[in-house]
Amino acid sequence: MKRAEGNFLMAFKTRKFYASQLFKPATIAKAIDEAATQGHRLYRVVQELPFDLSETAAAQELEIWLDSEQFHYIWRPTLIEQDPLRIATVTEYPELEISW
């Protein structure tokens, strides 16, 4: 295995683990309930790390759960805060917004 392949696999595993923790249906259901009791009609899953997790298995499983519970959702672009001293190649990533 070459270094690039190993690094790709490490990044893939890290993103997969992060998505599995972030998109747990029970955790999302609790957050939605809390937002609704405060009068809100939407909940945005805020990521601490700027990764596109929309194609992960955990995100797709959550989408299936959201559909079964008749929630509406969309992946909205989130801008990455730019460092003025460095040029970024990616300027945004999607975050999940759920509404009811």
Side-chain angles (χ1 to χ4, degrees):
M1 179 185 307
K2 299 291 182 184
R3 183 175 293 270
E5 184 181 0
N7 288 346
F8 175 84
L9 290 174
M10 284 188 288
F12 176 78
K13 287 179 183 178
T14 299
R15 289 174 185 221
K16 182 180 174 183
F17 177 76
Y18 182 55
S20 70
Q21 298 300 307
L22 188 64
F23 298 131
K24 286 182 182 177
T27 305
I28 298 298
K30 183 178 177 182
I32 289 171
D33 290 348
E34 286 179 19
T37 60
Q38 295 174 3
H40 300 287
R41 296 204 50 216
L42 69 89
Y43 174 72
R44 188 170 189 144
V45 182
V46 178
Q47 298 176 203
E48 293 180 21
L49 304 173
F51 300 142
D52 180 355
L53 302 175
S54 62
E55 299 296 321
T56 61
Q60 292 171 354
E61 289 173 15
L62 179 61
E63 288 178 355
I64 291 168
W65 179 82
L66 291 169
D67 287 335
S68 72
E69 296 295 323
Q70 299 182 343
F71 286 104
H72 304 282
Y73 60 89
I74 188 167
W75 290 91
R76 293 234 187 251
T78 301
L79 296 176
I80 296 175
E81 196 169 314
Q82 296 286 334
D83 182 349
L85 301 177
R86 295 184 181 165
I87 298 173
T89 56
V90 178
T91 58
E92 62 184 38
Y93 62 97
E95 282 188 335
L96 184 62
E97 184 177 280
I98 304 164
S99 60
W100 52 92

